[in-house]
């Protein structure tokens, strides 16, 4: 009976969302400022979230109880599967993941409705109205093409089991964070469309949008990091990023979101770049929808893909066309109404952010072209081509390097108009640090000296530049330490967040440079007792034994590694899941400071030994640390709401209306 409750709750949520959309748009277009429409719209958002939560918990209960009378549970669970993966299997499939998507969508709408009384009523009505239309579209998609509660008769005794690649802690928590980012951009999107409809985007609008853009960007950063970390240790290929189409699908809205949070800052400070900010808000969520289409339409084959049903792809394509086409049409018609009132000189922080936006969008365009060009060629001519890492590494890395260089400059430029000579003096420590770092690399590196020197110089440039801005703002070494500490304590969270995020990006870049340029690899066919060498390590395959897990059989290899009289043991596995008939690998990884000794082994098909790949991955830990620090910067900036202008200070609640409690 629980699945029927979940299904009915979802149908009710669909009906309430339709009523909510009608009410909010009628309220926004009404000549009379009638509070009843706003009150109903706000409360409907909370009701829709509650109904969607009931629906999601009903599906999770079916997975937890292994109710194989539900097709979704039968196809994605098994009685022998560990309980935690029974629960995470709720979103480890197409239908359940879409229900999680809608749950997060309604959660954000509910939070906006609960906190929205500080916003102008017309703006709130239009924003919640657009959100409700998005909710209607995705609930309709679930109900008509992807019902997660569909029954199966007769009831099977057991299920098919969850994809083994998803039976992992990293990938279990990766989708929720990724969806918090994807779906989070729906709020800036709705605010952008609302601003276009009312012909007004001002500093009040920017201060309302900024926390939503920041939290979406931060969650997306965490989601991408978790996916990369999972691919690193689970897939056994020794890498952390493959420019897979679905990896690109998450990276593109991150790039657009990065440009968005910088543009909103300019709107907030200078009441300028309003058209840019609105367009970027539309672009970030549109690219999130593009990612959803890629994963669920069947147009690509990937370890990340959920579904290959063309009917579902057509439905999502219709949503995508309506959202992107409709919003861009409104933008084309109404963008002229968003005239800026603030002005700034080309050499200023605003000017640097304009260039930043251009670079971010250019980088996003290069990823988009590399991802979709093969699909376009396939559709037009039937020819199968691939665009791989060489293209992205050649084009994207150049743009990324220029962006990092500009970021180190932009943080030290003054708002409105910068003093060039003063800025050059402030940049001197960063320039000296970059030159020293480059010289050190050029001397000690055994290969890739020039490229490595440039990469490490950019890392030093960005870190020192970000630190210099903080030192200048707190007057470190130019005022008594007590005064500097007081200034640091009073420094806005947005300033701290920006500095932390920039340092995090630099640390991440350090990891990317290290593993990309100086990774060492050895491939060997090894029997028990054989040894191979990589980066000065002598690695011996001591034994291979068969073991049994909760729902898998495995070959576990024990390796002994020795270097400089230090010896340690590593274990790697090849797992076979009989229910699914699939194999996975668990790489043997030993962290040595910021470096990893990484070993993966294959199947002994020849009877003469196991193919073993040994990697030494320098600086790889900086990838995860850098992404974590970047996300921390996002949270710190999100926590800083700044001083609210009069229009944003909390207003008294609307008076009670007959028939509705206050």
């Amino acid at each position: 009976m629980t699945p029927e409750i979940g299904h009915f709750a979802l149908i009710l949520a669909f009906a309430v969302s339709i009523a909510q959309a009608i009410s909010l748009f009628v309220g926004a277009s009404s000549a009379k400022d009638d509070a009843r429409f706003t009150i109903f719209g706000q409360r409907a958002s909370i009701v829709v979230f509650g109904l969607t939560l009931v629906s999601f918990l009903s599906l999770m209960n079916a997975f937890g109880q292994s109710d194989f009378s539900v097709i979704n549970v039968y196809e994605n669970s098994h009685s022998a599967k560990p309980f935690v993966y029974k629960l995470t299997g709720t979103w480890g499939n197409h239908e359940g993941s879409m229900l999680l998507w809608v749950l997060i969508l309604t959660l954000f709408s509910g939070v906006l409705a609960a906190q929205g009384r500080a916003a102008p009523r017309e703006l709130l009505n239009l924003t919640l109205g657009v959100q409700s239309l998005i909710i209607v579209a995705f609930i309709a998609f679930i109900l008509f093409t992807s019902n997660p509660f569909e029954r199966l008769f007769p009831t099977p005794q057991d299920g098919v089991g969850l994809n083994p690649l998803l039976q992992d802690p990293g990938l279990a928590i990766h989708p929720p964070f990724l969806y918090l980012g994807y779906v989070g951009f729906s709020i800036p999107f709705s605010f952008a469309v609302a601003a276009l409809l009312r012909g007004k985007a001002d500093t009040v609008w920017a201060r309302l949008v900024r926390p939503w853009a920041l939290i979406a960007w931060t969650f997306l950063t965490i989601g991408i990091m978790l996916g990369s970390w999972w691919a690193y240790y689970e897939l056994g290929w020794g890498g952390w990023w493959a420019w897979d189409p679905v990896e690109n699908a998450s990276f593109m809205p991150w790039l657009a979101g990065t440009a968005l949070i910088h543009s909103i800052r300019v709107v907030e400070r200078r009441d300028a770049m309003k058209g840019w900010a609105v367009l970027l808000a539309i672009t970030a969520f549109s690219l999130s929808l593009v990612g959803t289409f890629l994963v669920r339409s069947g147009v690509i084959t990937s370890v990340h893909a959920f579904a290959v049903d063309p009917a579902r792809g057509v439905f999502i394509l219709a949503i995508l066309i309506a959202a992107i086409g409709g919003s861009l049409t409104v933008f084309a018609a109404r963008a002229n109404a968003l005239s800026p009132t603030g002005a700034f000189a080309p050499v200023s922080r605003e000017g640097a952010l304009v260039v930043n936006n251009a670079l971010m969008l250019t980088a996003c365009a290069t990823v988009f072209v590399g991802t979709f060009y093969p699909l376009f060629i396939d559709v037009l001519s039937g020819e199968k081509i691939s665009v791989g890492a060489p293209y992205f590494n050649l084009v994207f890395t150049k743009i990324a390097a220029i962006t990092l260089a500009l970021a180190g400059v932009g943080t030290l430029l003054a708002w409105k108009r910068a003093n060039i000579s003063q800025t050059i003096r402030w940049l001197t420590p960063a320039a000296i640090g970059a030159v020293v770092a480059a010289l050190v690399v050029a001397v000690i590196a055994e290969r890739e000296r020039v490229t490595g020197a440039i990469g490490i110089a950019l890392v030093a440039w960005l870190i020192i530049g970000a630190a210099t801005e903080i030192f200048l703002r707190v007057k470190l070494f130019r005022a008594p330490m007590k005064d500097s500490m007081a200034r640091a304590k009073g420094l806005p969270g947005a300033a701290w967040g920006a500095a932390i995020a920039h340092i995090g990006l630099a640390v991440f870049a350090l990891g990317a440079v290290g593993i990309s340029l100086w990774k060492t690899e050895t491939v060997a066919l090894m029997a028990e007792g054989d040894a191979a060498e990589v980066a000065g390590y002598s690695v011996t395959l001591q034994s291979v034994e068969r073991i049994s897990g909760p729902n898998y059989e495995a070959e576990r290899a024990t390796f002994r590694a020795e270097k400089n009289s230090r010896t340690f043991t590593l274990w790697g596995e090849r797992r076979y899941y009989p229910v699914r008939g699939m194999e996975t690998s668990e790489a043997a990884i030993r962290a040595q400071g910021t470096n990893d000794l990484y070993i993966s082994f294959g199947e002994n098909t020849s009877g003469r030994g196991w193919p073993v790949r040994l990697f030494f991955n320098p600086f790889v830990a900086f990838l995860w640390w850098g992404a974590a620090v970047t996300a921390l910067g996002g949270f710190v900036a999100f926590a800083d709401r700044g001083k609210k202008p009069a229009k944003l200070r909390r207003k008294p609640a609307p008076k009670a209306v007959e028939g509705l409690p206050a």
Side-chain angles (χ1 to χ4, degrees):
M1 187 64 185
T2 303
E4 280 69 33
I5 293 174
H7 193 191
F8 183 64
L10 195 61
I11 294 172
L12 282 180
F14 180 63
V16 174
S17 295
I18 293 174
Q20 177 193 16
I22 295 172
S23 173
L24 287 168
F25 281 112
V26 169
S29 60
S30 176
K32 296 175 62 178
D33 189 14
D34 196 331
R36 289 178 296 181
F37 295 111
T38 302
I39 293 173
F40 176 80
Q42 289 177 306
R43 293 177 179 174
S45 289
I46 299 171
V47 169
V48 170
F49 167 66
L51 290 170
T52 309
L53 180 62
V54 168
S55 182
F56 185 80
L57 292 177
S58 298
L59 182 61
M60 181 173 283
N61 180 69
F63 271 89
Q65 293 186 347
S66 295
D67 184 355
F68 298 121
S69 69
V70 178
I71 294 179
N72 193 24
V73 178
Y74 165 74
E75 291 180 344
N76 297 284
S77 191
H78 190 272
S79 58
K81 189 170 64 175
F83 182 72
V84 64
Y85 295 129
K86 290 182 180 180
L87 296 182
T88 60
T90 307
W91 58 80
N93 59 86
H94 166 70
E95 292 83 1
S97 65
M98 285 309 306
L99 188 56
L100 176 63
W101 173 288
V102 171
L103 176 66
I104 296 172
L105 188 61
T106 59
L107 168 64
F108 284 159
S109 297
V111 172
L112 176 62
Q115 297 182 344
R117 286 183 295 173
R121 184 175 297 169
E122 181 189 18
L123 177 61
L124 178 63
N125 285 351
L126 289 171
T127 302
L128 286 176
V130 175
Q131 277 292 114
S132 62
L133 290 179
I134 298 171
I135 292 171
V136 168
F138 277 99
I139 294 181
F141 173 71
I142 294 175
L143 291 175
F144 298 124
T145 71
S146 309
N147 181 9
F149 301 103
E150 189 175 349
R151 291 284 195 175
L152 176 64
F153 295 104
T155 301
Q157 292 186 346
D158 219 326
V160 175
L162 181 66
N163 185 333
L165 290 173
L166 305 180
Q167 297 183 41
D168 177 86
L171 209 63
I173 59 176
H174 160 67
F177 278 103
L178 202 62
Y179 291 175
L180 284 166
Y182 277 161
V183 178
F185 282 123
S186 69
I187 301 291
F189 172 87
S190 297
F191 267 114
V193 175
L196 291 169
L197 291 174
R198 69 196 293 255
K200 184 179 182 182
D202 51 14
T203 56
V204 174
W205 175 87
R207 295 197 181 202
L208 288 167
V209 175
R210 183 169 68 92
W212 290 103
L214 278 168
I215 200 65
W217 178 85
T218 302
F219 279 130
L220 187 57
T221 301
I222 297 172
I224 293 173
M225 176 193 70
L226 289 172
S228 175
W229 178 54
W230 165 82
Y232 177 71
Y233 71 77
E234 179 69 20
L235 298 184
W237 60 289
W240 59 278
W241 192 262
W243 296 105
D244 178 278
V246 180
E247 289 176 336
N248 296 346
S250 64
F251 190 40
M252 288 186 287
W254 187 89
L255 291 169
T258 304
L260 171 63
I261 58 180
H262 287 89
S263 294
I264 289 176
R265 190 67 176 154
V266 177
V267 178
E268 190 177 4
R269 289 293 300 264
R270 302 295 310 152
D271 197 37
M273 291 179 65
K274 292 186 282 189
W276 265 109
V278 167
L279 182 59
L280 286 168
I282 292 172
T283 302
F285 184 59
S286 297
L287 289 171
S288 297
L289 295 179
V290 168
T292 304
F293 172 74
L294 275 178
V295 175
R296 302 170 194 280
S297 62
V299 299
I300 62 160
T301 301
S302 167
V303 295
H304 308 79
F306 272 119
V308 295
D309 184 356
R312 293 170 176 172
V314 170
F315 201 114
I316 294 180
L317 185 61
I319 296 175
L320 195 150
I321 292 172
I324 299 177
S327 59
L328 290 180
T329 300
V330 176
F331 180 82
R334 303 282 292 171
N336 289 336
L338 307 179
S339 56
T341 60
F344 54 86
V347 182
S348 62
R349 184 169 297 196
E350 296 93 333
L353 291 175
V354 171
V355 179
N356 167 277
N357 278 357
L359 288 170
M360 285 292 175
L361 288 181
T362 303
C364 188
T366 62
V367 177
F368 185 91
V369 170
T371 303
F372 281 92
Y373 180 72
L375 301 179
F376 293 149
I377 293 298
D378 186 17
V379 171
L380 295 176
S381 66
E383 182 182 357
K384 301 290 184 181
I385 66 170
S386 62
V387 175
Y391 160 80
F392 293 104
N393 293 337
L394 178 65
V395 179
F396 181 83
T397 54
K398 307 298 188 298
I399 301 171
I402 296 171
T403 305
L404 290 178
L406 179 65
V409 177
T411 56
L412 295 177
L413 292 173
W415 292 100
K416 193 174 182 180
R417 182 183 297 276
N419 184 316
I420 298 177
S421 59
Q422 186 180 60
T423 303
I424 292 174
R425 289 197 303 271
W426 289 344
L427 286 169
T428 300
I432 294 172
V435 171
V436 170
L439 290 175
V440 169
V441 172
V443 170
I444 68 173
E446 296 180 355
R447 51 194 167 93
E448 300 291 352
R449 290 178 177 172
V450 175
T451 306
I454 294 172
I456 301 302
L458 286 172
V459 169
W461 169 265
L462 185 55
I463 290 176
I464 298 173
T468 300
E469 184 201 9
I470 297 297
F471 292 166
L472 289 171
R473 296 188 67 159
V474 303
K475 295 189 174 181
L476 190 66
F477 309 129
R478 295 186 298 133
M481 184 58 68
K482 183 178 180 181
D483 292 348
S484 294
M485 295 299 293
R487 284 177 174 273
K489 186 176 180 181
L491 203 61
W496 282 112
I500 293 170
H502 282 184
I503 291 172
L505 286 174
V507 173
F508 175 86
L510 177 59
V513 169
I515 192 173
S516 300
L517 298 182
W518 298 309
K519 178 170 67 173
T520 304
E521 178 182 359
T522 298
V523 180
L525 186 65
M526 302 177 68
E528 292 181 338
D530 288 349
E533 292 191 358
V534 61
Y537 288 90
S538 177
V539 179
T540 302
L541 175 59
Q542 288 188 308
S543 63
V544 178
E545 59 180 337
R546 294 190 175 275
I547 63 170
S548 297
N551 60 335
Y552 62 85
E553 302 292 327
E555 281 187 327
R556 173 177 289 177
T558 302
F559 297 93
R560 186 185 75 248
E562 183 177 357
K563 183 178 182 180
N564 298 331
S565 302
R566 295 183 58 196
T567 302
F568 47 86
T569 303
L570 302 85
W571 294 271
E573 292 182 5
R574 286 182 56 257
R575 294 178 178 178
Y576 175 71
Y577 292 79
V579 174
R580 279 274 187 171
M582 292 180 62
E583 291 186 355
T584 65
S585 63
E586 299 289 327
I589 304 174
R590 171 78 177 198
Q592 299 288 296
T594 61
N595 312 318
D596 279 357
L597 175 61
Y598 182 107
I599 306 172
S600 65
F601 75 107
E603 184 179 359
N604 186 357
T605 56
S606 65
R608 295 183 291 111
W610 290 263
V612 178
R613 301 179 68 189
L614 303 99
F615 300 89
F616 179 72
N617 294 331
F619 297 174
V620 67
F622 288 121
L623 292 171
W624 328 127
W625 295 350
V629 172
T630 301
L632 175 63
F635 281 124
V636 171
F638 168 76
D640 175 26
R641 302 302 177 88
K643 294 182 179 180
K644 294 181 179 180
K647 291 182 181 179
L648 264 178
R649 292 178 189 141
R650 182 163 293 279
K651 302 173 183 177
K655 295 181 180 180
V657 180
E658 184 177 357
L660 291 173

